[in-house]
Amino acid sequence: MKKLQTAKSQFLSDRQLYISIMFFIGLLTFSALVFLMGGNGNVGGLSKAEAAQKSLTGEWTAQINSKKPSEIHLTMQRRSSKNGFNSMGISFPLSELQGLSPETISSAKTDVNFRIIREAGTFEFEGYFREGRGAGFWKLTPNPNFISAMRSRGYDNISEEKLYMAAIGNLTIKLIEELKSAGYERLSLDDLVEAAIFDVTPEFIRAWRSSEFKNIPFKQLLELGMHEVRPEFIAEMKAAGFENLSLQELIEARMFDVDRKFVSDVQALGFTRLPFRSVVEMRMHDVTPEFIGAWRSAGFQELSLENLIELGTHEVTPEYLNQIKAEGFPQISPRQATELKIHDIDRDYIRRARAKFPNVTLHELVDLRIHDIIK
């Protein structure tokens, strides 16, 4: 009898068996759902935080920065299921590339292995360099301590793309804490990465707060950093004759390389009262002192600033005007040349039009183009 009881104790009762089967089925169902979930923190059976800790890979090309020989310009390429193919170029000081020397970069073809260590993770590169140019493959191994520190600050489930950008931009926990101390809390991860990339540091913020601009929104600080606009630029613009420029105008000036020398060179050509907006438009459309000089040498001494900007906007040069003259229109004006250029009429089109309409006029050329009569 004892043996029987002992034997029975080794088996489950009917009720216990039913509960166990249902539990097992539930566990399988839950596991399948977790695997199939594409959002809400899960990717392919792994949480985003876990997925982010996998190594990321891609290709790279590089060359010495021609303006700063102490820097190397790397183009990082990667493919992802979410964003497809993307490419990003960024310059690094040579001192940050561990295992790579200037001699190796400039030598004959040489195999290389080097690394860039960031708080978010470590990039490892393999490939080759030959005479200042290189190419190969890279791998990013995320730093779990960084991921943990970010999670404790509310940045959970960091995607692969965001982690990659944090490593590229050299985002650090120290910078996050410093921005918080400066009054910029609850920033998005994108904001933090951009702050790291564009050097929006506490020093940068203090410099602007000591200027006439005190409480600058963070997004505008990022713009200032992106275009390397520092408070000293205010004084340069004032010296060029532009008082009381807004932050957005200062950004535009830097974007289009408006500086004191450019303004002085244009003023020396007789344009003494230059509105700021006109100067920006001149820079946007390459209306340089050389461009103005070329038109004056072609016999157009009296072109106004507005005329020159219109010519620059449509890339009308004295060479283009002379080509039209050579096709039998000796009296063509810069304004007429602009109209022809807008409609993409060149010497080849004029010759094809003349083959059908020997006495075609400038106005008729435009009509022919508009109505697509000449093929």
Side-chain angles (χ1 to χ4, degrees):
M1 190 66 180
K2 188 174 181 180
K3 283 187 180 180
L4 181 59
Q5 288 176 338
T6 302
K8 275 187 74 176
S9 69
Q10 293 175 358
F11 295 89
L12 297 171
S13 68
D14 290 344
R15 179 175 175 80
Q16 289 173 316
L17 181 61
Y18 173 78
I19 292 171
S20 296
I21 291 171
M22 294 305 294
F23 174 79
F24 185 67
I25 292 172
L27 183 62
L28 286 176
T29 303
F30 176 77
S31 298
L33 285 171
V34 168
F35 181 80
L36 292 172
M37 284 176 67
N40 299 323
N42 296 322
V43 180
L46 296 173
S47 71
K48 288 182 181 176
E50 290 171 327
Q53 294 181 55
K54 297 188 298 182
S55 294
L56 312 181
T57 58
E59 298 89 44
W60 63 271
T61 58
Q63 64 183 49
I64 292 294
N65 189 328
S66 58
K67 295 182 179 179
K68 293 183 180 179
S70 62
E71 291 185 354
I72 189 166
H73 187 79
L74 276 172
T75 299
M76 309 275 286
Q77 300 168 340
R78 70 181 295 261
R79 294 169 178 83
S80 68
S81 57
K82 182 178 180 180
N83 297 309
F85 179 85
N86 65 62
S87 179
M88 172 177 293
I90 188 167
S91 292
F92 295 89
L94 278 173
S95 58
E96 286 193 31
L97 278 60
Q98 298 184 12
L100 188 64
S101 66
E103 294 74 24
T104 301
I105 293 171
S106 59
S107 65
K109 187 176 179 181
T110 306
D111 292 337
V112 295
N113 287 277
F114 59 97
R115 59 173 48 188
I116 298 174
I117 299 175
R118 301 297 208 192
E119 198 167 303
T122 298
F123 286 103
E124 295 178 89
F125 300 82
E126 62 174 349
Y128 72 92
F129 264 94
R130 180 172 61 194
E131 298 176 355
R133 294 177 176 269
F137 300 94
W138 60 263
K139 178 177 74 173
L140 170 64
T141 303
N143 177 5
N145 293 332
F146 176 82
I147 294 171
S148 177
M150 292 296 289
R151 185 184 297 119
S152 69
R153 288 163 174 78
Y155 301 96
D156 203 3
N157 296 329
I158 301 175
S159 67
E160 288 185 357
E161 188 65 31
K162 296 289 176 66
L163 188 67
Y164 168 67
M165 292 302 298
I168 285 282
N170 197 19
L171 176 62
T172 65
I173 300 301
K174 180 183 177 184
L175 177 62
I176 297 171
E177 293 303 312
E178 288 176 335
L179 291 174
K180 183 178 179 181
S181 297
Y184 297 103
E185 299 186 65
R186 299 178 182 176
L187 296 173
S188 70
L189 184 55
D190 286 341
D191 284 341
L192 293 174
V193 169
E194 289 184 21
I197 291 174
F198 301 127
D199 288 326
V200 179
T201 61
E203 294 76 20
F204 183 81
I205 294 168
R206 282 195 294 270
W208 274 105
R209 284 180 175 172
S210 64
S211 74
E212 59 203 66
F213 299 96
K214 305 298 180 186
N215 300 311
I216 302 176
F218 194 77
K219 291 292 186 184
Q220 204 155 31
L221 277 173
L222 290 176
E223 273 196 276
L224 292 166
M226 181 189 304
H227 299 291
E228 300 181 355
V229 186
R230 301 192 67 85
E232 306 90 80
F233 192 56
I234 300 172
E236 183 175 349
M237 287 294 95
K238 285 182 177 179
F242 303 117
E243 300 276 348
N244 304 317
L245 293 181
S246 68
L247 282 174
Q248 196 56 46
E249 287 172 327
L250 290 168
I251 290 168
E252 286 181 21
R254 180 63 85 187
M255 281 175 64
F256 297 108
D257 290 328
V258 174
D259 56 21
R260 185 177 180 181
K261 182 180 184 305
F262 177 78
V263 175
S264 297
D265 289 346
V266 174
Q267 287 174 335
L269 293 173
F271 300 101
T272 53
R273 295 187 178 182
L274 289 170
F276 175 75
R277 182 54 47 198
S278 295
V279 176
V280 171
E281 287 186 34
M282 290 175 73
R283 267 307 201 187
M284 285 173 65
H285 302 296
D286 289 328
V287 180
T288 62
E290 293 75 20
F291 182 84
I292 298 169
W295 275 104
R296 288 183 175 179
S297 297
F300 298 94
Q301 302 289 332
E302 305 302 322
L303 288 174
S304 69
L305 193 56
E306 290 73 20
N307 295 151
L308 288 162
I309 290 172
E310 185 179 26
L311 291 167
T313 300
H314 299 290
E315 300 180 0
V316 183
T317 63
E319 290 77 15
Y320 173 77
L321 182 137
N322 287 332
Q323 287 177 11
I324 306 302
K325 280 185 176 182
E327 295 303 318
F329 299 100
Q331 303 304 315
I332 185 172
S333 69
R335 182 171 292 279
Q336 289 171 314
T338 300
E339 187 176 13
L340 294 184
K341 191 69 183 289
I342 288 172
H343 294 286
D344 198 24
I345 295 171
D346 56 15
R347 57 169 52 172
D348 179 63
Y349 184 84
I350 293 172
R351 290 171 183 176
R352 285 186 281 123
R354 276 249 172 86
K356 296 187 80 172
F357 306 101
N359 298 314
V360 67
T361 66
L362 289 173
H363 181 73
E364 288 167 343
L365 281 169
V366 174
D367 282 343
L368 289 171
R369 174 63 97 182
I370 290 172
H371 298 291
D372 198 25
I373 294 172
I374 303 299
K375 303 297 182 185

